[in-house]
Amino acid sequence: MTAATEQGAKRGGGVSWPVLLVGLAIVSPLLWILASGIGKDPHDIASPLIDKPAPAFALRTVEGDREVTLDSLRGKPVVLNFFSTWCVPCEQEHPALLAASRAFGDRAAFVGIVFEDTRDAVTRWLDRHGGRGYPVLIDVGGPAAIAYGVYGVPETFIIDGGGTIRQKFKGAVDFGTIRAALEEVR
Amino acid sequence: MRSRIVAALGALACVAALVGTAAAQRRGEPVRGADELALGPDVPVVVGAPAGPPVTGQALEERSWALDLGIRCPVCQGQAIAESPAESAKHMKRQVRAMVAAGYSDDQVMSYLEHSYGEFIRLRPRAEGLNLLVWALPLTALALGTLIAVVVMRRRGRLTPPAPGAAAATATRPPAVDPALAPWLAQVRRETEGDDAPHNGR
């Protein structure tokens, strides 16, 4: 390449700074919005029900022998656990929930609500995993899951004695978490 | 003959996979009879009484479907409950249909679901607050991009064709040279004219 064509190449490769700046002004906020979401679970959203009255429910037990309503549990805190037999974290947290119900059952009500599962499967599962320490209700058609805004199991709600939802835990809970949550609503 | 057998077996395998997938999605107790249109017990508490009369028939199906297309499946990735085979989506479709059948308005149905799940349940965000960016930015970018393209192309003279008289006049004289490029052009002409001359010994 001769010296003249080198000069020409340098002059002809110029950048339009106004266009570049306008483009950056438009793209930068979009990149910031995209970057702020990286690594976040889009389903990990704060529940809009916190500090709101817990939705009412009237569900039958898995055994079918009686109906349990939220109203019947009023007066003491409620640990409401949505779970399924096909959910691995549910299996992991079940011993902790059983232990907590034995430790704190005098001052809090523990209730399990089955999410998208059958009576037979739940009955077999409970028999394999330590039995029933508290009422387990079957949510046929999912009205309770919809009312509580359940995105997936396990999800555990802590309801105070006045019927207000105070906390929601997504994922498996342990004994310490339940104890701390009940201490807060005492 | 062999290819027909293979094709038939392949089709059978596809049907079996579809049926198996559908069966795997049915995880809960089946909902029957009156339960199909049973409202959640907290619906009247959250959104009050139905805004209109009960709806049946084609109107029920059309309104329910239209709502289902705008509600996000809570266990899926960006799918509407209308398109999702998930059990949760089916439960929500049933609840939507029950509310529409009872006479609840579209706003009441969406408000009820938003009360439980938050604004995330809407596939089409409300056009207010920060959500306005979602609606305004694409249109603004398109308008701005079009404007920039028009301005740039006009500067290069491609959008404004020369008048017929001007075309004839410019055809008889050489095109104007950018003064900044004139020295470079002169250098190129000298070098190329020098290249056309025969080289010694070649």
Side-chain angles (χ1 to χ4, degrees), chain A residues 83-85 90-91 94 121-129:
Chain A
F83 76 102
S84 300
T85 63
C90 302
E91 195 170 330
H94 191 66
V122 173
T123 303
R124 287 194 299 269
W125 189 89
L126 289 171
D127 289 341
R128 279 202 312 272
H129 292 88

Side-chain angles (χ1 to χ4, degrees), chain A:
Chain A
M1 185 186 275
T2 63
T5 47
E6 273 181 13
Q7 269 185 354
K10 281 181 195 171
R11 213 176 279 139
V15 171
S16 171
W17 287 104
V19 172
L20 182 64
L21 287 172
V22 168
L24 277 174
I26 294 170
V27 168
S28 298
L30 295 175
L31 283 176
W32 176 79
I33 291 170
L34 176 67
S36 64
I38 289 174
K40 288 185 186 169
D41 179 1
H43 291 278
D44 188 15
I45 297 160
S47 172
L49 295 175
I50 301 299
D51 294 332
K52 296 235 176 87
F57 60 79
L59 303 172
R60 299 202 72 84
T61 59
V62 168
E63 296 81 9
D65 55 346
R66 61 190 171 107
E67 187 176 80
V68 175
T69 65
L70 181 65
D71 274 347
S72 66
L73 304 171
R74 203 159 289 229
K76 55 182 179 178
V78 176
V79 178
L80 189 66
N81 173 248
F82 284 85
F83 76 102
S84 300
T85 63
W86 42 263
C87 150
V88 172
C90 302
E91 195 170 330
Q92 291 167 348
E93 69 171 3
H94 191 66
L97 284 162
L98 281 179
S101 71
R102 284 192 289 268
F104 311 117
D106 56 336
R107 47 188 157 111
F110 283 72
V111 177
I113 295 185
V114 177
F115 176 80
E116 298 182 10
D117 223 325
T118 61
R119 281 190 177 83
D120 289 346
V122 173
T123 303
R124 287 194 299 269
W125 189 89
L126 289 171
D127 289 341
R128 279 202 312 272
H129 292 88
R132 296 149 182 72
Y134 47 84
V136 173
L137 314 178
I138 191 113
D139 187 23
V140 179
I146 294 172
Y148 279 80
V150 173
Y151 274 96
V153 285
E155 286 188 9
T156 304
F157 294 82
I158 307 297
I159 305 169
D160 67 17
T164 301
I165 295 177
R166 292 297 181 201
Q167 288 191 69
K168 171 183 171 180
F169 298 101
K170 286 178 64 71
V173 291
D174 55 31
F175 186 89
T177 302
I178 300 170
R179 178 177 54 197
L182 289 176
E183 285 293 316
E184 281 190 37
V185 296
R186 204 155 55 140

Side-chain angles (χ1 to χ4, degrees), chain B residues 2-195:
Chain B
R2 180 187 269 184
S3 61
R4 283 184 191 177
I5 292 172
V6 169
L9 286 173
L12 202 61
C14 287
V15 169
L18 277 170
V19 170
T21 305
Q25 295 291 345
R26 286 196 299 269
R27 292 194 283 218
E29 289 285 339
V31 177
R32 295 192 180 98
D35 288 344
E36 282 280 350
L37 288 177
L39 287 175
D42 65 325
V43 169
V45 174
V46 174
V47 291
V55 179
T56 58
Q58 190 64 21
L60 170 61
E61 305 308 325
E62 284 174 2
R63 269 191 59 202
S64 303
W65 179 252
L67 280 164
D68 293 345
L69 286 173
I71 298 168
R72 185 189 301 274
C73 166
V75 299
C76 313
Q77 295 293 335
Q79 257 186 322
I81 60 173
E83 300 153 344
S84 169
E87 199 76 7
S88 297
K90 289 180 190 169
H91 291 332
M92 290 179 77
K93 281 194 287 192
R94 190 180 301 113
Q95 186 67 244
V96 166
R97 193 166 178 276
M99 290 184 72
V100 172
Y104 286 94
S105 66
D106 291 4
D107 278 346
Q108 285 180 302
V109 173
M110 294 307 294
S111 292
Y112 173 70
L113 293 174
E114 248 185 285
H115 174 83
S116 303
Y117 289 96
E119 197 180 5
F120 186 68
I121 205 67
R122 286 179 177 267
L123 268 178
R124 288 183 285 270
R126 285 184 209 268
E128 59 188 29
L130 202 61
N131 292 343
L132 282 171
L133 280 177
V134 174
W135 298 102
L137 266 182
L139 292 172
T140 306
L142 183 66
L144 203 59
T146 305
L147 182 66
I148 291 171
V150 165
V151 167
V152 167
M153 288 172 77
R154 273 193 175 164
R155 278 184 186 169
R156 291 181 186 175
R158 287 179 199 168
L159 275 187
T160 313
T170 54
T172 58
R173 64 170 193 270
V177 176
D178 183 348
L181 295 177
W184 176 72
L185 190 59
Q187 177 75 17
V188 169
R189 282 192 178 130
R190 281 196 299 275
E191 289 182 6
T192 51
E193 283 163 8
D195 285 346

